[in-house]
PDB file of all heavy atoms in Angstrom:
ATOM      1  N   GLN A 279      12.840   4.194 -42.502  1.00 97.00           N
ATOM      2  CA  GLN A 279      12.520   3.259 -43.537  1.00 97.00           C
ATOM      3  C   GLN A 279      12.746   1.808 -43.084  1.00 97.00           C
ATOM      4  O   GLN A 279      13.762   1.498 -42.504  1.00 97.00           O
ATOM      5  CB  GLN A 279      13.406   3.506 -44.867  1.00 97.00           C
ATOM      6  CG  GLN A 279      13.179   2.513 -45.947  1.00 97.00           C
ATOM      7  CD  GLN A 279      14.004   2.845 -47.156  1.00 97.00           C
ATOM      8  OE1 GLN A 279      13.972   3.965 -47.670  1.00 97.00           O
ATOM      9  NE2 GLN A 279      14.734   1.849 -47.665  1.00 97.00           N
ATOM     10  N   THR A 280      11.766   0.956 -43.387  1.00 97.00           N
ATOM     11  CA  THR A 280      11.901  -0.436 -43.010  1.00 97.00           C
ATOM     12  C   THR A 280      11.542  -1.325 -44.235  1.00 97.00           C
ATOM     13  O   THR A 280      10.629  -0.938 -45.021  1.00 97.00           O
ATOM     14  CB  THR A 280      10.970  -0.814 -41.837  1.00 97.00           C
ATOM     15  OG1 THR A 280       9.633  -0.565 -42.166  1.00 97.00           O
ATOM     16  CG2 THR A 280      11.359  -0.026 -40.626  1.00 97.00           C
ATOM     17  N   THR A 281      12.107  -2.486 -44.330  1.00 98.00           N
ATOM     18  CA  THR A 281      11.764  -3.461 -45.370  1.00 98.00           C
ATOM     19  C   THR A 281      11.170  -4.704 -44.703  1.00 98.00           C
ATOM     20  O   THR A 281      11.703  -5.195 -43.698  1.00 98.00           O
ATOM     21  CB  THR A 281      13.023  -3.864 -46.141  1.00 98.00           C
ATOM     22  OG1 THR A 281      13.623  -2.672 -46.720  1.00 98.00           O
ATOM     23  CG2 THR A 281      12.701  -4.839 -47.227  1.00 98.00           C
ATOM     24  N   ASN A 282      10.054  -5.116 -45.247  1.00 98.00           N
ATOM     25  CA  ASN A 282       9.235  -6.192 -44.574  1.00 98.00           C
ATOM     26  C   ASN A 282       8.940  -7.325 -45.606  1.00 98.00           C
ATOM     27  O   ASN A 282       8.622  -7.018 -46.783  1.00 98.00           O
ATOM     28  CB  ASN A 282       7.938  -5.628 -43.998  1.00 98.00           C
ATOM     29  CG  ASN A 282       8.208  -4.307 -43.214  1.00 98.00           C
ATOM     30  OD1 ASN A 282       8.729  -4.365 -42.174  1.00 98.00           O
ATOM     31  ND2 ASN A 282       7.818  -3.197 -43.807  1.00 98.00           N
ATOM     32  N   LEU A 283       8.902  -8.548 -45.111  1.00 98.00           N
ATOM     33  CA  LEU A 283       8.673  -9.695 -46.004  1.00 98.00           C
ATOM     34  C   LEU A 283       7.500 -10.556 -45.454  1.00 98.00           C
ATOM     35  O   LEU A 283       7.460 -10.714 -44.208  1.00 98.00           O
ATOM     36  CB  LEU A 283       9.912 -10.597 -46.071  1.00 98.00           C
ATOM     37  CG  LEU A 283       9.866 -11.806 -46.891  1.00 98.00           C
ATOM     38  CD1 LEU A 283       9.771 -11.425 -48.378  1.00 98.00           C
ATOM     39  CD2 LEU A 283      11.106 -12.700 -46.710  1.00 98.00           C
ATOM     40  N   GLY A 284       6.595 -10.934 -46.290  1.00 98.00           N
ATOM     41  CA  GLY A 284       5.497 -11.769 -45.871  1.00 98.00           C
ATOM     42  C   GLY A 284       5.209 -12.974 -46.713  1.00 98.00           C
ATOM     43  O   GLY A 284       5.456 -12.907 -47.972  1.00 98.00           O
ATOM     44  N   LEU A 285       4.775 -14.038 -46.118  1.00 98.00           N
ATOM     45  CA  LEU A 285       4.465 -15.265 -46.836  1.00 98.00           C
ATOM     46  C   LEU A 285       3.008 -15.646 -46.406  1.00 98.00           C
ATOM     47  O   LEU A 285       2.619 -15.510 -45.228  1.00 98.00           O
ATOM     48  CB  LEU A 285       5.335 -16.448 -46.386  1.00 98.00           C
ATOM     49  CG  LEU A 285       6.794 -16.335 -46.778  1.00 98.00           C
ATOM     50  CD1 LEU A 285       7.605 -17.438 -46.152  1.00 98.00           C
ATOM     51  CD2 LEU A 285       7.006 -16.355 -48.311  1.00 98.00           C
ATOM     52  N   GLY A 286       2.208 -16.133 -47.369  1.00 98.00           N
ATOM     53  CA  GLY A 286       0.851 -16.500 -47.104  1.00 98.00           C
ATOM     54  C   GLY A 286       0.425 -17.703 -47.941  1.00 98.00           C
ATOM     55  O   GLY A 286       0.753 -17.819 -49.141  1.00 98.00           O
ATOM     56  N   ILE A 287      -0.372 -18.608 -47.375  1.00 98.00           N
ATOM     57  CA  ILE A 287      -0.939 -19.730 -48.031  1.00 98.00           C
ATOM     58  C   ILE A 287      -2.462 -19.783 -47.731  1.00 98.00           C
ATOM     59  O   ILE A 287      -2.831 -19.661 -46.547  1.00 98.00           O
ATOM     60  CB  ILE A 287      -0.302 -21.071 -47.624  1.00 98.00           C
ATOM     61  CG1 ILE A 287       1.179 -21.077 -48.058  1.00 98.00           C
ATOM     62  CG2 ILE A 287      -1.045 -22.227 -48.261  1.00 98.00           C
ATOM     63  CD1 ILE A 287       1.918 -22.274 -47.546  1.00 98.00           C
ATOM     64  N   THR A 288      -3.295 -19.863 -48.730  1.00 97.00           N
ATOM     65  CA  THR A 288      -4.709 -19.922 -48.516  1.00 97.00           C
ATOM     66  C   THR A 288      -5.274 -21.179 -49.110  1.00 97.00           C
ATOM     67  O   THR A 288      -5.075 -21.550 -50.247  1.00 97.00           O
ATOM     68  CB  THR A 288      -5.458 -18.735 -49.272  1.00 97.00           C
ATOM     69  OG1 THR A 288      -4.907 -17.493 -48.756  1.00 97.00           O
ATOM     70  CG2 THR A 288      -6.923 -18.746 -48.966  1.00 97.00           C
ATOM     71  N   LEU A 289      -5.944 -21.962 -48.245  1.00 97.00           N
ATOM     72  CA  LEU A 289      -6.698 -23.177 -48.626  1.00 97.00           C
ATOM     73  C   LEU A 289      -8.198 -22.775 -48.701  1.00 97.00           C
ATOM     74  O   LEU A 289      -8.753 -22.191 -47.737  1.00 97.00           O
ATOM     75  CB  LEU A 289      -6.549 -24.259 -47.606  1.00 97.00           C
ATOM     76  CG  LEU A 289      -5.067 -24.603 -47.169  1.00 97.00           C
ATOM     77  CD1 LEU A 289      -5.040 -25.608 -46.072  1.00 97.00           C
ATOM     78  CD2 LEU A 289      -4.294 -25.108 -48.396  1.00 97.00           C
ATOM     79  N   HIS A 290      -8.795 -23.011 -49.876  1.00 94.00           N
ATOM     80  CA  HIS A 290     -10.158 -22.489 -50.020  1.00 94.00           C
ATOM     81  C   HIS A 290     -11.057 -23.356 -50.895  1.00 94.00           C
ATOM     82  O   HIS A 290     -10.620 -24.162 -51.722  1.00 94.00           O
ATOM     83  CB  HIS A 290     -10.026 -21.093 -50.721  1.00 94.00           C
ATOM     84  CG  HIS A 290      -9.346 -21.128 -52.081  1.00 94.00           C
ATOM     85  ND1 HIS A 290     -10.075 -21.415 -53.210  1.00 94.00           N
ATOM     86  CD2 HIS A 290      -8.077 -20.923 -52.433  1.00 94.00           C
ATOM     87  CE1 HIS A 290      -9.248 -21.351 -54.199  1.00 94.00           C
ATOM     88  NE2 HIS A 290      -8.015 -21.101 -53.793  1.00 94.00           N
ATOM     89  N   GLY A 291     -12.346 -23.202 -50.678  1.00 90.00           N
ATOM     90  CA  GLY A 291     -13.389 -23.677 -51.525  1.00 90.00           C
ATOM     91  C   GLY A 291     -14.070 -22.600 -52.234  1.00 90.00           C
ATOM     92  O   GLY A 291     -13.432 -21.572 -52.483  1.00 90.00           O
ATOM     93  N   ASP A 292     -15.349 -22.652 -52.515  1.00 86.00           N
ATOM     94  CA  ASP A 292     -16.024 -21.657 -53.220  1.00 86.00           C
ATOM     95  C   ASP A 292     -16.356 -20.465 -52.233  1.00 86.00           C
ATOM     96  O   ASP A 292     -16.307 -19.305 -52.615  1.00 86.00           O
ATOM     97  CB  ASP A 292     -17.351 -22.130 -53.745  1.00 86.00           C
ATOM     98  CG  ASP A 292     -17.085 -23.139 -54.931  1.00 86.00           C
ATOM     99  OD1 ASP A 292     -16.009 -22.971 -55.599  1.00 86.00           O
ATOM    100  OD2 ASP A 292     -17.903 -23.989 -55.214  1.00 86.00           O
ATOM    101  N   ILE A 293     -16.728 -20.765 -50.980  1.00 88.00           N
ATOM    102  CA  ILE A 293     -17.115 -19.655 -50.065  1.00 88.00           C
ATOM    103  C   ILE A 293     -16.411 -19.772 -48.726  1.00 88.00           C
ATOM    104  O   ILE A 293     -16.599 -18.876 -47.885  1.00 88.00           O
ATOM    105  CB  ILE A 293     -18.643 -19.707 -49.843  1.00 88.00           C
ATOM    106  CG1 ILE A 293     -19.114 -21.041 -49.346  1.00 88.00           C
ATOM    107  CG2 ILE A 293     -19.374 -19.237 -51.155  1.00 88.00           C
ATOM    108  CD1 ILE A 293     -20.583 -21.150 -49.021  1.00 88.00           C
ATOM    109  N   ASN A 294     -15.636 -20.722 -48.489  1.00 94.00           N
ATOM    110  CA  ASN A 294     -14.887 -20.856 -47.212  1.00 94.00           C
ATOM    111  C   ASN A 294     -13.381 -20.807 -47.520  1.00 94.00           C
ATOM    112  O   ASN A 294     -12.931 -21.252 -48.607  1.00 94.00           O
ATOM    113  CB  ASN A 294     -15.214 -22.178 -46.456  1.00 94.00           C
ATOM    114  CG  ASN A 294     -16.707 -22.268 -46.174  1.00 94.00           C
ATOM    115  OD1 ASN A 294     -17.288 -21.298 -45.711  1.00 94.00           O
ATOM    116  ND2 ASN A 294     -17.269 -23.422 -46.448  1.00 94.00           N
ATOM    117  N   ALA A 295     -12.565 -20.305 -46.552  1.00 96.00           N
ATOM    118  CA  ALA A 295     -11.160 -20.253 -46.780  1.00 96.00           C
ATOM    119  C   ALA A 295     -10.406 -20.288 -45.429  1.00 96.00           C
ATOM    120  O   ALA A 295     -10.905 -19.845 -44.408  1.00 96.00           O
ATOM    121  CB  ALA A 295     -10.823 -18.961 -47.541  1.00 96.00           C
TER     122      ALA A 295
END
Side-chain angles (χ1 to χ4, degrees):
Q279 176 177 308
T280 61
T281 302
N282 314 287
L283 181 67
L285 296 173
I287 296 175
T288 304
L289 307 174
H290 60 84
D292 292 333
I293 56 176
N294 301 316

